[in-house]
Amino acid sequence: MKEIDRLIAQLFPAENGGSKVLDLKFFPGEQAVTVEEFCKEVHAAFVQVDSGQSHVSASYPEELSPVHVDRFLATA
């Protein structure tokens, strides 16, 4: 089974017991990864949460600093 198939099965199980994915975002890191590598890491993270190996939080504290769009684009 390919990693993308494992991730899809984790996100959208055939028998989901009423659960659903409401909002899920991924942001690019500093280095390129393949689809296979990405799916493997995301699947592993979900398995850790579902098995109780990882702490689940209801919120994510954000400390935002405004940055002018020209400065942001210049670093890309």
Side-chain angles (χ1 to χ4, degrees):
M1 178 181 274
K2 289 184 176 182
E3 290 298 335
I4 194 165
D5 296 327
R6 290 183 185 160
L7 176 58
I8 289 171
Q10 183 75 25
L11 291 175
F12 309 105
E15 297 177 18
N16 65 7
S19 66
K20 59 183 175 179
V21 175
L22 296 176
D23 191 7
L24 183 63
K25 295 181 176 93
F26 296 98
F27 298 93
E30 295 181 8
Q31 58 191 26
V33 295
T34 66
V35 171
E36 191 78 1
E37 291 169 328
F38 172 81
C39 292
K40 181 179 179 182
E41 293 299 320
V42 173
H43 178 254
F46 278 104
V47 168
Q48 288 176 15
V49 170
D50 289 348
S51 65
Q53 297 176 32
S54 179
H55 174 71
V56 179
S57 62
S59 64
Y60 181 78
E62 294 186 52
E63 297 177 15
L64 303 175
S65 302
V67 176
H68 193 276
V69 69
D70 291 336
R71 182 174 171 205
F72 175 76
L73 293 175
T75 63

